[in-house]
Amino acid sequence: MEDLMQKIVSLAKRRGFIFPNSEIYGGFGSSYDFGPLGAEMKNNIKNAWRREMLQSQDNIVGLDSAIIMNPKIWQASGHLSAGFSDELVECKKCHHRFRKDFLERDKCPECGGELTDSKKFNLMMKTFVGSLEDEAAMTFLRAETCQGIYVNFDNIVNSMRLKLPFGVAQIGKSFRNEITPKDFIYRTREFEQMEMQWFCEPKSADEYFEYWKEQRMKWYLNLGVKKDNLRFREVAKEELAHYAKRAADIEYKFPFGWKEIEGIHNRGDWDLSNHSKCSGKELKYEGYYPYIIETSGGADRGFLAFLIDAYEEVKGGRTETTEAVKEVEVMLKLHRSLAPVKVAILPLLKNKPELVKKAKEVYELLKPHFICQYDEAGSIGRRYRRQDETGTLFCLTVDFDSLENNDLTIRDRDSMKQERVKIENLVDILKEKLEN
Ligand code: ATP
């Protein structure tokens, strides 16, 4: 299974999905950059989430709050106390540091050396604001996006004239000084969250908790993640975060085990009551503190789950080429709304100027409507395979008949069926295919 992770990491780099960060300087502590196709796919994930929250669901509004905020917020939220710390141990010999609960034995996994007793290590990322680097100028990069929502509670209710129950949804970067970032982009120190806070009456909190659990699971399923690779895990009382009354995780079966990709939390009135107490501004709705049901997903963890789930190897190859293909062909069966490139336009031969000209005209025609790629290098079979490997949905081939009849073939990634269509109908046909 580890082997699969190596293949994913290698494909991600080779085909422009994910690059190691600061690579030419030797990398930078489990940090990654999303390449051209990765950036596109990540935006598709975020757009799918926004469509779900802000269009398909009722009564949810958006927000884009700042990453750097008044440090008092983190005092009030409980993030500066022991509750937001992990147990850290250090090797007495090589001085590597580890998160204690990740260790399988009580010896250093790097050198076998003896470990120190554990101590609490707070995960907030410190930074300084302004020209003085003293205590007074110190603040933190946000560790979760939701605090920006809580402290804007009044602004949002008043400006949008909202009635309970309602939700506020936000996507943005969060930072945690993880002791042991690992498993590619699964656990990093800088990551992106997609969080929705649902404000409701305390008496309906349990009901909404169940509702949002189901809705969030459905979202992953509707985006094509295999049912067998998803499950819920109810978080045990003693494991609950400091703010949570109840929590359930949505877990994905990664090659390195079942792991959380999203949490659904009943945060009770912890956040609004604490911010009221600490700020002096009463954040009540009609005389009481609403309860909050939170859905908190990671765009990066989701990305990794979608990528792994879509990865397929076809032995012996599935595309006809003139080259002998005995080896394995890779394809990414990404959901149509997540695939980074929707359409590839391929002239049959690159040394025939009339084919190239026609193909480029098709590219110009489609470019305003879809994310397209024009590709003329290599045999047609090789180009199909290259597009399959990055999940491109449709390959359009311009051949000699196209010049006569003003048509081309559309090849469908999944069925590999080829269909001949008129170029003047192409935009409508592709739109219909992408919508259904
Ligand atoms: P874990 O137990 O794995 O550290 P958590 O329970 O602390 O995660 P939450 O605080 O519930 O995570 O955060 C909500 C979501 O944010 C997670 O489900 C995950 O998708 C994402 N997330 C949290 N920490 C990280 C991280 N270090 N790297 C990438 N994504 C993260």
Side-chain angles (χ1 to χ4, degrees):
M1 276 325 232
E2 278 307 305
D3 190 34
L4 174 59
M5 269 322 281
Q6 276 163 17
K7 288 177 184 170
I8 295 281
V9 173
S10 141
L11 172 78
K13 171 153 190 226
R14 192 160 37 82
R15 300 309 313 275
F17 284 87
I18 301 169
F19 304 136
N21 167 271
S22 310
E23 196 181 11
I24 62 167
Y25 286 96
F28 187 66
S30 301
S31 184
Y32 295 92
D33 297 331
F34 286 83
L37 295 193
E40 198 56 45
M41 179 171 151
K42 199 177 187 199
N43 274 323
N44 291 342
I45 294 171
K46 292 190 281 184
N47 287 337
W49 187 86
R50 283 174 55 82
R51 259 197 317 276
E52 165 71 9
M53 289 302 180
L54 301 171
Q55 287 174 247
S56 302
Q57 298 286 346
D58 288 329
N59 228 20
I60 301 182
V61 295
L63 185 77
D64 185 359
S65 67
I67 288 175
I68 300 172
M69 305 192 281
N70 190 319
K72 287 179 186 162
I73 289 173
W74 302 108
Q75 196 74 50
S77 70
H79 281 83
L80 300 185
S81 59
F84 195 63
S85 304
D86 284 331
E87 298 281 343
L88 175 142
V89 291
E90 187 173 323
C91 173
K92 291 180 181 171
K93 211 158 112 197
C94 73
H95 299 288
H96 271 97
R97 295 173 151 207
F98 307 96
R99 203 170 130 171
K100 191 174 174 217
D101 58 334
F102 284 177
L103 293 177
E104 278 162 16
R105 54 204 184 107
D106 51 7
K107 289 280 172 197
C108 172
E110 293 287 329
C111 74
E114 198 188 331
L115 300 171
T116 59
D117 288 341
S118 68
K119 61 177 182 201
K120 292 271 184 200
F121 179 79
N122 191 276
L123 301 181
M124 295 297 294
M125 283 257 202
K126 288 194 187 91
T127 189
F128 296 92
V129 173
S131 58
L132 284 175
E133 291 200 356
D134 60 10
E135 269 299 291
M138 193 179 80
T139 185
F140 307 90
L141 304 183
R142 68 180 173 200
E144 52 186 27
T145 60
C146 55
Q147 295 301 328
I149 296 179
Y150 308 142
V151 298
N152 275 300
F153 178 75
D154 241 29
N155 287 332
I156 297 169
V157 172
N158 295 335
S159 61
M160 303 308 289
R161 295 188 289 129
L162 296 171
K163 295 261 172 292
L164 234 53
F166 67 85
V168 183
Q170 161 155 247
I171 298 179
K173 289 267 179 155
S174 291
F175 302 81
R176 296 181 190 178
N177 207 359
E178 299 274 357
I179 300 165
T180 320
K182 60 177 186 172
D183 297 322
F184 196 28
I185 58 167
Y186 178 82
R187 184 177 302 284
T188 51
R189 296 192 174 106
E190 171 181 345
F191 53 94
E192 211 160 357
Q193 289 185 310
M194 308 185 290
E195 295 196 306
M196 193 282 295
Q197 311 297 311
W198 184 252
F199 297 89
C200 62
E201 288 182 55
K203 68 173 187 314
S204 52
D206 286 339
E207 191 187 316
Y208 281 122
F209 182 84
E210 296 304 328
Y211 174 80
W212 284 112
K213 252 178 77 176
E214 296 307 322
Q215 293 299 305
R216 293 309 302 144
M217 181 60 99
K218 252 197 234 163
W219 186 76
Y220 290 101
L221 291 169
N222 288 342
L223 287 173
V225 179
K226 296 175 194 84
K227 200 162 187 260
D228 289 348
N229 291 339
L230 287 167
R231 71 176 188 194
F232 285 118
R233 187 180 76 95
E234 184 80 24
V235 178
K237 275 247 160 352
E238 55 281 8
E239 263 186 272
L240 288 175
H242 60 279
Y243 53 75
K245 279 189 154 13
R246 202 180 146 196
D249 291 342
I250 294 177
E251 293 189 332
Y252 180 75
K253 194 174 172 189
F254 287 101
F256 42 89
W258 283 100
K259 300 273 178 189
E260 167 182 348
I261 52 174
E262 174 153 350
I264 293 91
H265 309 128
N266 178 349
R267 301 180 68 122
D269 64 2
W270 160 271
D271 303 280
L272 292 180
S273 66
N274 266 314
H275 282 306
S276 296
K277 228 183 297 163
C278 298
S279 69
K281 166 100 185 156
E282 199 60 278
L283 301 175
K284 283 184 173 164
Y285 178 90
E286 292 185 350
Y288 63 94
Y289 296 119
Y291 268 28
I292 295 171
I293 306 301
E294 164 186 69
T295 70
S296 176
D300 314 82
R301 284 189 188 178
F303 187 110
L304 189 57
F306 287 124
L307 190 64
I308 291 170
D309 215 69
Y311 182 92
E312 276 183 23
E313 290 181 351
V314 185
K315 295 230 164 54
R318 47 178 229 136
T319 312
E320 266 184 59
T321 73
T322 47
E323 300 136 56
V325 273
K326 285 273 180 325
E327 81 270 39
V328 169
E329 217 178 298
V330 169
M331 64 177 300
L332 281 187
K333 255 191 167 165
L334 288 167
H335 187 269
R336 60 183 183 278
S337 62
L338 303 186
V341 178
K342 309 299 182 201
V343 188
I345 298 117
L346 323 169
L348 186 62
L349 298 165
K350 79 164 174 186
N351 56 4
K352 297 284 176 220
E354 59 282 26
L355 289 184
V356 168
K357 180 166 172 277
K358 187 87 184 161
K360 287 197 171 155
E361 277 167 24
V362 173
Y363 176 60
E364 289 302 323
L365 171 76
L366 299 183
K367 218 163 53 144
H369 303 279
F370 315 101
I371 297 286
C372 297
Q373 245 178 25
Y374 173 83
D375 185 4
E376 57 175 31
S379 75
I380 196 77
R382 189 182 278 262
R383 278 180 275 162
Y384 284 156
R385 298 173 65 187
R386 209 158 47 215
Q387 294 295 339
D388 284 350
E389 203 182 31
T390 55
T392 302
L393 297 166
F394 304 107
C395 285
L396 312 185
T397 306
V398 173
D399 56 20
F400 291 104
D401 288 343
S402 307
L403 304 175
E404 296 283 308
N405 307 328
N406 203 37
D407 61 2
L408 46 66
T409 56
I410 302 185
R411 172 188 177 272
D412 179 284
R413 179 194 70 192
D414 299 337
S415 68
M416 289 203 301
K417 277 211 190 96
Q418 306 215 12
E419 187 188 342
R420 212 144 181 118
V421 304
K422 290 279 182 205
I423 291 174
E424 69 251 34
N425 300 332
L426 199 49
V427 172
D428 288 342
I429 291 173
L430 287 171
K431 278 195 176 155
E432 200 189 310
K433 283 180 186 293
L434 281 164
E435 269 157 32
N436 291 329

